[in-house]
Amino acid sequence: MKITGVETFPIEVPPPHKGGKVWLFLRLDTDTGVRGYGEVMMLASAFRPQAMAVLIEDLVENHLLGHDPYEIELLYEKLYARAGYSHYPEQTKLAIISGLEMACWDIVGKDVRQPVHRLLGGAVRDRVRTYTYIYPDDAGDVDRHELWMQPDLVAERAAYYADLGFTGVKLDPFGFPVTQDQGLGQTVPVQYSLSALDTAEAVIRAIREAVGNRCDILVGTHGQMTAAGAIRLARRLEPYDPLWFEEPVPPENMAEMAKVARASRIPITTGERLTTKYDFARLIEHEAAAIFNLDVGQVGGILESKKIAGMAEAHYLQISPHVWGGPLIAAASVQLGACCPNFLIMEAIERFGGLHAELLDEPIEWRDGYVVLSERPGLGHDLNEDLARRLAPAAEGRS
C-alpha cells in the first residue's frame, strides 16, 4: 500500500465557536482505495488554516508520496528529523505531523478492519471519562469568559452539567484579558490583584457548593501567573479540592512550574502547548506536573502520545488528552484513552453535539459523562466532506 495524495479541509466554525474558530482536517489517499482522515490542532498555530493546508500539501508531495502508511514510525522520522534541518519540537510542523500520522492509523485500522485501540495493545476500558468547559446557555448574551467571573451564574451552569452526567467541569476563574493593560498573549506573567484573587476564590467556592462531590472542578488557567502568584492562588483554592491546577505559569520554564507543584496540594497539569516526548521528558525531570494534558493533534500523533503516556505511567503520572478543536482530534483521543492504563479524563466539547456530530458520518457516542468506545475500524469516524467544503473560509480567510 502506498500514499498517493492528500486533500485538506480548512473550515470556519460558525458561532458560538465551541472548540475554536477554525479547524483543519485532511484525508490521505492510497493506491488501494483505502482513505484515512486526520485533524491538525489549530489553537497554537499563528497561521490561517489555508496557509497550513499549503504546508501539509507540500510535505506530502515532497516526502510522503509512495510511503507505506503502515510505516508510521518511519513517517514520523521522515517528517520530524529528515524534512529540513530542524530536529526540534516546533508546534507548526508537529501539528501537521500529528494530522498525517493520525490519518495513517485510520488507514491501517480500516485496512485490517480493527479500531486503532486494538492496534495499540487493546482497550483497558470500554468507555472514556470526559469533562467539559462551562459554557453559557446558548440563548444568553454572556460569553464564557464573562460567565467565569460571576460566581452565582457559573455555579448554576456547573450544576447543569453535573445533572447531565459530567463528572468534571473546567473554567479559568480569571476570564480574559489577564489585566487591564495586557491581553491573554502577554509574554511576562503577572501577579493578580487581591480583588481578582477574591473573585477567583468566590467562583470556585460557589461551584463546589453547587455540585458537591458529584463533580470534579478543573481550574484551567493559561500560563498567566508568576510562580509566586500561582502559589498564592493555589492556597486559596485548596479547600475546594480541585482535580487540577492547569498551566499556572507559562509552559516554557518548567523549573518555575515545579515550584508551584512543590508548594501546592492541588495536582498540576500541563502539556497542551508542548510537543513530542522530549518536552514531556523535561517535565518529568523537573517533577513539574502530575497530569499531562497532551493534544494528540499537536504532540506528534497517536503513537507519540502513547509513548508519552508510557513514560508518564512509569513515573505514576496520568494523562488527560486536551481537545480544543474538531471531532477527529476527539476521536483519536478516545482511541488513546481507551488503551492507556494511566488515563484520567478527557476534554470534551460538551457532549460532542452540534457541528462536531454533523461533521462525522457517525457521531461520537456520549453517555452519562463518558464516551462509549466504538468498535468501528480506524478512528471509528469519517469526515462529512461535503459539509466541510461548505464551511471553507472565504478566499481572504480569517485567523
Side-chain angles (χ1 to χ4, degrees), residues 195-217:
S195 62
L197 294 174
D198 287 344
T199 298
E201 182 178 359
V203 163
I204 301 303
R205 180 175 60 247
I207 294 173
R208 176 56 71 211
E209 291 172 352
V211 301
N213 64 2
R214 295 185 296 158
C215 218
D216 276 309
I217 302 171

Side-chain angles (χ1 to χ4, degrees), residues 216-237:
D216 276 309
I217 302 171
L218 290 69
V219 180
T221 49
H222 295 83
Q224 305 105 304
M225 287 167 275
T226 64
I231 292 167
R232 290 175 72 199
L233 173 63
R235 290 177 178 170
R236 283 176 172 248
L237 301 186

Side-chain angles (χ1 to χ4, degrees), residues 83-362:
Y85 189 60
S86 58
H87 210 283
Y88 187 80
E90 182 273 325
Q91 286 177 325
T92 300
K93 188 164 78 171
L94 264 298
I96 292 171
I97 291 172
S98 299
L100 294 168
E101 192 259 17
M102 196 185 301
C104 283
W105 278 111
D106 195 34
I107 289 170
V108 171
K110 290 171 178 172
D111 194 46
V112 300
R113 297 181 175 85
Q114 294 291 336
V116 168
H117 65 262
R118 290 183 61 85
L119 308 179
L120 292 171
V124 296
R125 55 183 58 84
D126 61 4
R127 57 181 186 164
V128 174
R129 183 186 175 205
T130 62
Y131 71 86
T132 184
Y133 265 111
I134 299 175
Y135 294 93
D137 188 324
D138 289 341
D141 58 359
V142 61
D143 74 16
R144 68 180 187 276
H145 306 123
E146 295 170 342
L147 172 70
W148 298 339
M149 305 285 288
Q150 301 179 43
D152 292 341
L153 186 56
V154 76
E156 180 181 324
R157 291 298 292 168
Y160 163 78
Y161 287 110
D163 290 342
L164 289 179
F166 279 101
T167 60
V169 291
K170 180 176 169 182
L171 76 162
D172 187 326
F174 294 101
F176 304 132
V178 173
T179 67
Q180 291 183 348
D181 59 343
Q182 292 178 307
L184 175 61
Q186 88 285 353
T187 57
V188 178
V190 302
Q191 280 265 8
Y192 278 110
S193 67
L194 286 172
S195 62
L197 294 174
D198 287 344
T199 298
E201 182 178 359
V203 163
I204 301 303
R205 180 175 60 247
I207 294 173
R208 176 56 71 211
E209 291 172 352
V211 301
N213 64 2
R214 295 185 296 158
C215 218
D216 276 309
I217 302 171
L218 290 69
V219 180
T221 49
H222 295 83
Q224 305 105 304
M225 287 167 275
T226 64
I231 292 167
R232 290 175 72 199
L233 173 63
R235 290 177 178 170
R236 283 176 172 248
L237 301 186
E238 284 171 359
Y240 312 108
D241 200 15
L243 179 63
W244 74 45
F245 187 8
E246 181 179 334
E247 201 177 73
V249 303
E252 65 266 17
N253 192 331
M254 297 176 186
E256 286 299 293
M257 193 169 293
K259 290 180 181 178
V260 185
R262 288 193 296 270
S264 172
R265 290 181 292 176
I266 306 172
I268 301 302
T269 298
T270 194
E272 70 178 46
R273 288 194 269 183
L274 302 180
T275 65
T276 77
K277 66 183 81 69
Y278 306 110
D279 272 350
F280 287 87
R282 290 171 54 220
L283 276 179
I284 293 172
E285 290 167 3
H286 284 283
E287 299 182 345
I291 303 160
F292 294 165
N293 67 328
L294 55 85
D295 194 299
V296 179
Q298 176 180 266
V299 77
I302 294 173
L303 185 57
E304 191 74 355
S305 299
K306 191 70 163 68
K307 292 179 180 181
I308 293 165
M311 289 173 14
E313 183 183 356
H315 292 83
Y316 306 145
L317 307 176
Q318 293 179 295
I319 67 160
S320 173
H322 172 263
V323 178
W324 185 253
L328 290 180
I329 285 177
S333 299
V334 171
Q335 298 292 330
L336 176 71
C339 63
C340 291
N342 57 330
F343 168 85
L344 173 62
I345 195 169
M346 177 187 119
E347 184 168 4
I349 313 296
E350 296 188 309
R351 293 178 286 180
F352 293 118
L355 187 59
H356 284 80
E358 294 165 12
L359 277 165
L360 299 179
D361 62 333
E362 293 193 49

